[in-house]
């Protein structure tokens, strides 16, 4: 928990998305990363804003992942 440097297996690492800086990825942390994975998967499954406004129900919205998902979705234009 308190190490400044940590060695991990390469398969445990995930690349930072092209549209994010390394600093932005670190700021988002685990909850943000998990929320963004959900949004990417949602859009990969066809739910996008290309067809007009989209409403999304986020369960567990009071927690870290849910509240981050709401912030991200809202900023992206989802309702």
């Amino acid at each position: 928990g308190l190490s400044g440097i940590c060695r991990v297996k390469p398969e445990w690492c995930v690349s930072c998305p092209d549209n994010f800086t390394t600093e932005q990825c670190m700021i988002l942390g685990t909850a943000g990363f998990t929320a963004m994975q959900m949004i990417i998967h949602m859009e990969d499954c066809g739910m996008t804003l290309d067809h007009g406004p989209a409403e999304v129900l986020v369960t567990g919205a009071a927690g870290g992942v849910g509240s981050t998902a709401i912030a991200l979705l809202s900023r992206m234009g989802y309702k």
Side-chain angles (χ1 to χ4, degrees), residues 39-74:
I39 294 168
I40 291 168
H41 180 69
M42 179 186 80
E43 290 186 334
D44 285 348
C45 288
M47 185 173 181
T48 65
L49 294 170
D50 296 338
H51 307 292
E55 294 183 356
V56 179
L57 173 66
V58 178
T59 59
V65 175
S67 60
T68 303
I70 288 174
L72 291 169
L73 289 163
S74 176

Side-chain angles (χ1 to χ4, degrees), residues 2-74:
L2 301 177
S3 175
I5 297 174
C6 180
R7 178 182 283 190
V8 297
K9 296 178 182 180
E11 59 267 19
W12 293 358
C13 298
V14 178
S15 298
C16 183
D18 292 336
N19 55 336
F20 284 91
T21 66
T22 303
E23 184 180 62
Q24 289 171 321
C25 286
M26 291 185 301
I27 290 170
L28 287 173
T30 304
F33 180 75
T34 304
M36 198 64 206
Q37 281 184 312
M38 177 275 305
I39 294 168
I40 291 168
H41 180 69
M42 179 186 80
E43 290 186 334
D44 285 348
C45 288
M47 185 173 181
T48 65
L49 294 170
D50 296 338
H51 307 292
E55 294 183 356
V56 179
L57 173 66
V58 178
T59 59
V65 175
S67 60
T68 303
I70 288 174
L72 291 169
L73 289 163
S74 176

